[in-house]
Amino acid sequence: MTTHPIGIFDSGIGGLTVLKEIRRQIPGENLIYFGDEARFPYGIKSAGTVRRFSGEVAEYLMRQGIKMLVVACNTATAAALNSLREDLPIPVIGVLMPGAYAAARATKTGRVGVIGTEGTISSGVYSKLIKNIRPGTEISALPCPLFVPLVEEGRLSGEIASLVAKEYLAPLKGRKIDTLVLGCTHYPLLKPVIGSVMGPSVTLIDSADETAREVKRVLTKNGLLNPGGEKKSRSLPTGFIRYCVTDAPERFKTIGERFLGYDIPEVEKAEL
Ligand code: DGL
């Protein structure tokens, strides 16, 4: 079982930010990345629909023999993490809890902002988790739907990105937050522009790094860590990566390489 792959799933390309971090922290693990491009985006769909889609993707990945499922999508984590945990016989990790812990640790004033898709923000899950970990925290949560297409179009800086960020983030500026959770897989790519609008006194929380740490911790606890998976200095990754999408593999390859900063040799078209 230790050499079986980890399944990493997102509505599209955004979860590659999580894959990249897992690859960096445990480079010997074999990975299967699944992007549900045919049904992207999840962020504007109802929780029931996102749950159904997530269940279908999980079934597909189980058929590929995965030893762990990482739901590398904030919207899918908010809607489907509990049901996936009930249904699957393997460990299931989401991206919300690691981000919530990081935010609770980072805030000094107890005033935290959360931005994400409409689905994630309306679920209220981030607020609930952060308040459970750090009672009394004041949360200001906002959906920022235009950030996703901006990233998909590669508009990570410049006038348009900066105007959209200023417009969206203006309400948070007045709330005196000291920590902002980037509660969507795409937003870490907009860190420079979000950071320049919010200013240096606001810590930006990117859950990819925390999630990868959690993946390693849970694999270790369950005796599932691939023996080749420990990072040795200067060593190159030894695990394989398979990329599967439900539509438009060429587009995934082009934008995915921008997310990862390295080549994606092949993208498979998956039938659910
Ligand atoms: N991956 C989604 C998330 O993290 C963003 C893209 C979408 O709306 O599907 O919420």
Side-chain angles (χ1 to χ4, degrees):
M1 195 73 172
T2 55
T3 56
H4 286 215
I6 301 170
I8 303 171
F9 142 60
D10 180 41
S11 54
I13 269 156
L16 289 176
T17 49
V18 178
L19 173 135
K20 190 175 182 180
E21 203 46 45
I22 292 176
R23 185 71 161 169
R24 198 181 66 77
Q25 293 189 26
I26 35 177
E29 291 294 336
N30 297 315
L31 310 174
I32 303 185
Y33 183 86
F34 191 102
D36 196 3
E37 288 291 343
R39 304 187 288 194
F40 177 90
Y42 282 10
I44 51 167
K45 304 211 164 67
S46 71
T49 298
V50 173
R51 244 190 316 276
R52 177 163 58 81
F53 290 173
S54 304
E56 289 166 4
V57 173
E59 267 176 39
Y60 176 88
L61 287 169
M62 286 303 291
R63 289 199 296 277
Q64 314 303 309
I66 57 169
K67 63 179 177 183
M68 168 187 270
L69 178 66
V70 181
V71 186
C73 172
N74 291 258
T75 310
T77 301
L81 186 72
N82 292 343
S83 62
L84 291 170
R85 281 191 170 151
E86 275 166 27
D87 294 347
L88 301 183
I90 55 169
V92 182
I93 309 273
V95 283
L96 267 62
M97 194 58 134
Y101 265 110
R105 267 200 313 272
T107 183
K108 299 207 166 55
T109 62
R111 280 190 293 270
V112 173
V114 178
I115 52 176
T117 64
E118 284 162 24
T120 300
I121 297 304
S122 68
S123 76
V125 177
Y126 262 121
S127 305
K128 227 181 285 164
L129 290 174
I130 297 170
K131 283 181 179 169
N132 275 344
I133 300 165
R134 191 184 190 284
T137 307
E138 254 175 59
I139 312 281
S140 306
L142 274 183
C144 300
L146 283 176
F147 280 170
V148 168
L150 270 180
V151 171
E152 295 267 328
E153 290 301 320
R155 307 246 177 191
L156 307 180
S157 58
E159 214 177 323
I160 297 177
S162 159
L163 270 176
V164 173
K166 274 187 196 141
E167 170 88 16
Y168 274 150
L169 302 172
L172 289 178
K173 300 262 300 172
R175 307 261 169 85
K176 297 201 163 54
I177 58 166
D178 71 345
T179 304
L180 178 61
V181 179
L182 308 180
C184 173
T185 48
H186 287 59
Y187 298 1
L189 280 96
L190 290 169
K191 242 184 201 173
V193 79
I194 294 173
S196 82
V197 172
M198 295 311 295
S201 60
V202 176
T203 306
L204 303 182
I205 304 291
D206 159 3
S207 56
D209 174 37
E210 297 290 334
T211 303
R213 259 187 255 274
E214 175 72 358
V215 166
K216 187 173 177 188
R217 198 185 62 73
V218 174
L219 286 176
T220 309
K221 191 175 129 220
N222 288 280
L224 288 172
L225 198 67
N226 191 330
E230 284 294 327
K231 186 171 170 59
K232 297 185 190 77
S233 62
R234 292 166 178 274
S235 66
L236 288 171
T238 52
F240 66 71
I241 312 183
R242 270 176 66 196
Y243 299 91
C244 309
V245 293
T246 43
D247 199 9
E250 282 310 315
R251 184 171 185 276
F252 180 91
K253 181 172 155 56
T254 310
I255 306 176
E257 286 175 347
R258 188 187 302 146
F259 264 69
L260 288 173
Y262 46 77
D263 275 358
I264 296 181
E266 195 198 347
V267 183
E268 300 168 38
K269 176 102 187 295
E271 299 296 337
L272 286 179

